[in-house]
């Protein structure tokens, strides 16, 4: 059996829970740290805005061994997801290994030169350092707010205006009777704009920079999971590592692929009325699909039509007292400005010398299988891979990572193999698929199946697909089935 390691898990969201379970199950001595007062990450209620719900349908947003409750809606609300994550932690005895209100302030190599890392931990009452043999980094992509400001903000605030980050919009009371400007075009921006318009804001303006493709929960009346989440759809995108045969096949089927995506675009344009709102994106949809593809907030286009949310394409140029001045020249009377401008991706606590090895100057991450870097021994990421089925992919990566850490992958990569794969993947992101560069390149969408296939193959799972090849091509990933695929992996080797 492998040596028992002392393992640190940083972060108590979806990914931290998956990592804690995977390492605990293999008999390691796991210590998990969450800087807030509760587990749940982005789903912890005090961190999410009112009305938040998943983008993924519930049977795609789940761990392999625990379905979401049958009485949950197809797209569960934030508190429901939080309750689900709590039940997962209870089920697997994870609460005992989590230290809450405990932040990791720094992560450096051990002073004694031994493998592993020293973490500087700040708890509710004291700070301390502790050594670990392995660290699973599960701090996600939504932990450090992207704070931006524009000239005149102080004057605006001195005059009674409020400027706030989207994550601080947790109570509609703050916008009741107010004139609200939301900056941003992502899902959080549109969610907040619609929520404010339905909760007593005097007016809501959505200021966004770029037109992007958005997918509604139902496309032409069909749940989007039945149209978009399938191998048959995924294989039409230009994935990594295509050899001459795959390229020849892509060339031969190009007209069909073209027609498929133009058909989808036409449906979206008609259903959402994109032309009427001058919201047709410039890029073809197949070029844009990545983890940043937003789901249409229910009620968004209805709010445009009713005039309760007014969209303006542009950005904020500056503030004056009581006003927001846009790049379009528009002057908006405003009381509250919500900056839905996202998050800073990073590992701020990691020793800068190692951060340099991990992150390229253009922000791209050097990671093998979206998890490990050969220059950063004894650590791996779980859940930095943003996708449309993040819970399943976090669990799969966690299972891959524990085997990697224990030297028990069926295909344990050498340093040279990892380096070559990282370089090839970077070249693909930069040259062939720029959309894959979002989130530092840590996005597996739209290649969910491909990514999971690679992990399962590395693990040595004998079962990787459904028995029925047609169902396999045209069905969304079945989380429970992935549990049985994992179970088909070989036992640990003696050693
Ligand atoms: C509003 C919203 C809706 C979403 N909907 C979907 C969806 O439908 N489908 C989907 O697949 N994905 C969705 N996502 C993406 C979502 O981020 C992932 O699904 C998943 O919840 C990420 O979990 P995580 O554990 O990786 O990160 P997080 O949930 O961000 O958890 C990271 C945790 O690490 C903690 N932490 C950070 N730094 C430190 C530190 N230094 N020390 C200790 N603890 C630290 C944080 O407090 C946090 O609790 C959504 C995201 C948002 C914001």
């Amino acid at each position: 059996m492998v040596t028992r390691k002392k393992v640190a898990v940083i972060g108590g969201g979806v990914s931290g829970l998956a990592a804690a379970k995977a390492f605990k199950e293999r008999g390691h001595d796991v210590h998990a740290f969450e800087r807030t007062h509760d587990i749940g990450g982005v789903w912890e209620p005090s961190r999410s805005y009112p009305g938040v719900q998943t983008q993924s349908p519930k049977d795609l947003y789940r761990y392999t061994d625990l379905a979401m409750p049958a009485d949950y809606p197809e797209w569960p609300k934030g508190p429901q997801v939080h309750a689900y994550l709590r039940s997962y932690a209870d089920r697997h005895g994870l609460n005992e290994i989590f230290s809450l209100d405990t932040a990791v302030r720094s992560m450096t190599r051990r002073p004694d030169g031994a493998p592993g890392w020293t973490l500087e931990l700040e708890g509710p009452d004291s700070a301390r350092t502790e050594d670990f043999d392995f660290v699973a980094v599960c701090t996600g992509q939504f932990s450090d707010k992207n704070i931006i400001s524009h000239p005149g903000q102080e004057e605006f605030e001195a005059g009674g205006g409020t400027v706030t980050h989207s994550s601080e919009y947790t109570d509609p009371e703050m916008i009741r009777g107010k004139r609200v400007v939301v900056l941003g075009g992502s899902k959080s921006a549109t969610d907040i704009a619609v929520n404010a318009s339905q909760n007593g804001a005097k007016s809501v303006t959505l200021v966004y920079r770029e037109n992007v493709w958005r997918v509604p929960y139902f496309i032409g009346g069909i749940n989007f999971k039945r149209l978009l989440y399938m191998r048959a759809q995924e294989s039409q995108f230009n994935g990594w590592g295509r050899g001459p045969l795959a390229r020849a096949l892509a060339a031969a089927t190009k007209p069909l692929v073209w027609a498929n995506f133009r058909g989808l675009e036409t449906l979206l344009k008609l259903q959402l009325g994109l032309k009427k709102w001058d919201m047709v994106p410039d890029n073809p949809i197949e070029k844009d699909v990545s983890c940043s593809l937003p789901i249409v907030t229910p009620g968004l286009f209805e709010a445009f039509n009713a005039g309760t949310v007014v969209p303006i394409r542009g950005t904020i140029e500056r503030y004056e007292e009581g006003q927001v001045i846009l790049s379009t020249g528009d002057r908006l009377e405003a009381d509250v400005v919500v900056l839905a401008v996202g998050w800073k991706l990073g590992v701020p606590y990691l020793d800068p010398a190692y951060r340099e090895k991990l992150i390229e100057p253009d922000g791209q991450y050097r990671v093998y299988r979206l998890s490990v870097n050969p220059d950063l021994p004894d650590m791996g990421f779980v859940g930095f891979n943003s996708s449309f089925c993040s819970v399943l992919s976090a669990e799969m990566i966690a299972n891959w990572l524990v085997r990697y850490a224990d030297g028990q992958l069926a295909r344990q990569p050498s340093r040279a193999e990892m380096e070559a794969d990282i370089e090839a993947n970077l070249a693909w992101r930069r040259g062939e698929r720029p959309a894959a560069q979002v989130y530092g390149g840590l996005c597996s969408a739209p290649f969910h199946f491909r990514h999971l296939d690679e992990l399962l193959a590395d693990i040595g799972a004998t079962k990787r697909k459904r028995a029925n090849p047609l169902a396999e091509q045209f069905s969304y990933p079945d989380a429970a089935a992935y549990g049985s695929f994992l179970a088909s992996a070989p036992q640990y080797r003696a050693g």
Side-chain angles (χ1 to χ4, degrees):
M1 267 286 109
V2 294
T3 317
R4 186 171 193 247
K5 295 182 188 59
K6 186 176 174 192
V7 176
V9 171
I10 314 179
V14 160
S15 308
L17 296 179
K21 174 181 177 268
F23 278 88
K24 181 178 174 239
E25 223 166 46
R26 290 289 171 192
H28 294 298
D29 174 23
V30 183
H31 302 250
F33 305 103
E34 165 54 51
R35 70 180 177 188
T36 69
H37 66 281
D38 200 356
I39 58 166
V42 299
W43 301 108
E44 196 281 304
S46 67
R47 279 193 53 193
S48 48
Y49 44 86
V52 67
Q53 63 184 42
T54 63
Q55 309 211 67
S56 310
K58 67 174 180 180
D59 44 2
L60 279 161
Y61 201 72
R62 55 162 283 194
Y63 297 104
T64 58
D65 64 338
L66 185 64
M68 287 218 178
D71 61 351
Y72 273 23
E74 178 71 346
W75 289 279
K77 296 286 181 193
Q80 293 175 313
V81 179
H82 185 237
Y84 168 78
L85 296 176
R86 279 206 152 154
S87 66
Y88 185 76
D90 291 342
R91 181 186 173 97
H92 294 294
L94 303 178
N95 296 306
E96 301 86 80
I97 56 178
F98 265 92
S99 299
L100 301 176
D101 289 316
T102 304
V104 173
R105 293 288 175 223
S106 72
M107 177 170 165
T108 48
R109 297 295 281 153
R110 284 160 77 144
D112 57 7
W117 299 87
T118 300
L119 299 188
E120 191 187 343
L121 301 163
E122 192 177 320
D125 308 314
S126 62
R128 66 180 197 279
T129 58
E130 207 172 324
D131 292 343
F132 293 91
D133 302 315
F134 194 89
V135 176
V137 175
C138 312
T139 45
Q141 307 196 337
F142 303 95
S143 283
D144 287 302
K145 292 172 204 170
N146 185 21
I147 304 290
I148 60 166
S149 62
H150 299 93
Q153 183 176 327
E154 274 182 21
E155 186 188 341
F156 179 76
E157 287 175 325
T162 303
V163 179
T164 187
H165 186 266
S166 53
S167 61
E168 282 147 21
Y169 178 76
T170 51
D171 182 355
E173 274 311 311
M174 66 190 274
I175 53 81
R176 217 174 287 286
K178 306 268 173 70
R179 297 159 300 183
V180 179
V181 174
V182 181
L183 178 69
S186 65
K187 173 79 171 15
S188 58
T190 58
D191 278 0
I192 290 170
V194 170
N195 186 276
S197 74
Q198 293 171 347
N199 283 283
K202 193 170 172 190
S203 67
V204 180
T205 309
L206 179 73
V207 180
Y208 70 99
R209 205 194 293 264
E210 276 175 32
N211 284 332
V212 294
W213 291 105
R214 294 170 201 276
V215 175
Y217 282 136
F218 292 94
I219 304 175
I222 302 171
N223 186 327
F224 77 99
K225 72 182 175 188
R226 302 197 185 283
L227 293 174
L228 302 184
Y229 275 116
M230 51 169 105
R231 280 187 194 273
Q233 198 59 269
E234 179 176 316
S235 59
Q236 298 181 45
F237 296 99
N238 56 339
W240 60 88
R242 289 185 302 172
L245 194 66
R247 284 179 193 277
L249 193 67
T253 55
K254 204 171 169 185
L256 284 174
V257 171
W258 184 90
N260 170 44
F261 286 118
R262 296 300 76 70
L264 179 61
E265 285 179 359
T266 306
L267 260 175
L268 295 176
K269 281 188 234 172
L270 289 174
Q271 183 174 333
L272 302 174
L274 295 183
K275 275 197 178 152
K276 173 179 169 190
W277 294 106
D278 195 18
M279 282 188 167
V280 179
D282 296 331
N283 271 344
I285 194 165
E286 64 271 31
K287 274 201 175 156
D288 268 4
V289 174
S290 75
C291 294
S292 60
L293 181 84
I295 296 295
V296 177
T297 300
L300 178 67
F301 285 87
E302 291 82 347
F304 291 166
N305 287 324
T308 51
V309 175
V310 176
I312 298 181
R313 190 170 177 191
T315 187
I316 293 178
E317 201 166 84
R318 64 178 198 284
Y319 299 93
E320 286 178 12
E321 190 178 334
Q323 290 194 331
V324 176
I325 290 88
L326 303 185
S327 54
T328 54
D330 290 288
R331 281 176 171 267
L332 307 176
E333 303 287 327
D335 306 301
V336 176
V337 175
V338 181
L339 303 173
V341 291
W343 303 83
K344 278 190 290 191
L345 181 68
V347 267
Y349 42 86
L350 179 65
D351 183 338
Y354 285 93
R355 236 184 293 150
E356 267 174 30
K357 295 176 192 289
L358 176 68
I359 308 169
E360 296 267 304
D362 65 355
Q364 291 301 298
Y365 277 59
R366 298 181 62 81
V367 277
Y368 178 75
R369 298 289 191 253
L370 303 176
S371 182
V372 295
N373 175 300
D375 289 320
L376 282 77
D378 316 315
M379 69 171 277
F381 294 94
V382 175
F384 265 55
N385 158 26
S386 188
S387 79
F388 294 133
C389 43
S390 309
V391 184
L392 176 61
S393 51
E395 185 180 341
M396 299 297 287
I397 279 273
N399 279 278
W400 182 93
L401 185 63
V402 67
R403 282 180 176 258
Y404 169 85
D406 290 340
Q408 292 284 339
L409 287 172
R411 289 195 321 213
Q412 192 76 23
S414 67
R415 183 188 175 92
E417 281 165 346
M418 286 196 269
E419 283 292 353
D421 186 90
I422 288 170
E423 286 303 332
N425 199 277
L426 279 171
W428 167 74
R429 281 183 239 162
R430 289 175 178 141
E432 286 186 60
R433 194 163 176 84
Q437 294 182 80
V438 297
Y439 299 125
L442 299 165
C443 161
S444 66
F447 305 102
H448 303 99
F449 286 99
R450 176 95 191 271
H451 176 58
L452 299 181
D453 284 351
E454 285 184 343
L455 298 178
L456 286 171
D458 291 350
I459 287 172
T462 49
K463 285 199 280 175
R464 296 205 282 278
K465 292 181 180 169
R466 287 179 176 85
N468 178 344
L470 213 59
E472 182 59 27
Q473 281 302 317
F474 293 97
S475 308
Y476 53 84
D478 174 352
Y482 275 90
S484 64
F485 300 161
L486 278 177
S488 78
Q491 296 295 310
Y492 266 29
R493 299 179 290 272

